[in-house]
Amino acid sequence: MSITEDFISKHEEQAIIEAINTAENKTFGEIRVHIEEHSDAEVLDRAREVFVTLEMHKTNARNGVLFYIGVRDKSFAIFGDNGINNVVPDDFWVCTKDVVIEHFKQQKFKEGLVAGILRAGEQLKKYFPIQEDDKNELSNEISRG
């Protein structure tokens, strides 16, 4: 198994995907998780690169949110697009990141991601509620690098 496959089990991965589905249930916002072994780039720069590679910047309301994990580097970032960043409280991403990291420190990676995803989903529901003709545009699968 690779280091990214060891980070979360298939069962845990399914729980994270279910959290994404729950978080996106009442919004047209998009949430993705990307896990990779290593990057030489700074964590936020790498998260931005992955965000673009996954075409998350192409959502109509610019309301995509990426949870990025560099396993070997022990790096983590949440990258939100301009639409969501313009409406959430100034400290929202820092507070959400802190919630996730508290779980990570206890080796509870699935629980941390689920907690962060559900927090992001609440904000997406608040500011980007689903309309009758809306549907999620992107896959909820966890991508790996």
Side-chain angles (χ1 to χ4, degrees):
M1 285 183 121
S2 75
I3 191 169
T4 61
E5 291 171 328
D6 287 340
F7 181 71
I8 55 170
S9 69
K10 287 291 180 190
H11 179 72
E12 290 170 323
E13 183 172 332
Q14 192 54 45
I16 294 166
I17 292 169
E18 287 174 22
I20 295 170
N21 290 334
T22 298
E24 291 183 350
N25 188 33
K26 303 267 190 227
T27 180
F28 65 94
E30 295 289 340
I31 300 172
R32 297 284 307 266
V33 174
H34 181 81
I35 302 170
E36 64 186 13
E37 183 175 340
H38 168 73
S39 174
D40 289 328
E42 292 293 323
V43 65
L44 208 47
D45 292 338
R46 181 60 185 145
R48 182 180 298 108
E49 288 173 6
V50 172
F51 190 89
V52 171
T53 299
L54 295 174
E55 299 188 341
M56 294 185 70
H57 63 292
K58 293 185 177 181
T59 58
N60 291 337
R62 301 294 301 261
N63 57 0
V65 177
L66 175 68
F67 287 75
Y68 169 86
I69 300 107
V71 178
R72 187 165 41 111
D73 306 322
K74 296 184 179 180
S75 60
F76 172 71
I78 304 172
F79 188 87
D81 208 344
N82 293 337
I84 184 75
N85 286 344
N86 289 337
V87 294
V88 295
D90 291 339
D91 66 344
F92 178 73
W93 297 121
V94 172
C95 292
T96 302
K97 182 179 175 184
D98 289 346
V99 167
V100 175
I101 288 175
E102 276 307 307
H103 286 86
F104 280 16
K105 286 178 181 177
Q106 300 169 39
Q107 304 295 302
K108 295 180 179 179
F109 304 114
K110 175 199 75 164
E111 292 85 348
L113 288 169
V114 167
I117 288 164
L118 294 177
R119 260 180 77 84
E122 288 303 315
Q123 294 299 303
L124 287 168
K125 288 176 198 176
K126 180 178 179 179
Y127 295 109
F128 303 97
I130 198 161
Q131 307 297 317
E132 222 173 275
D133 59 343
D134 289 330
K135 62 181 180 183
N136 289 336
E137 305 164 21
L138 303 174
S139 166
N140 290 342
E141 293 177 349
I142 294 174
S143 60
R144 296 180 189 270

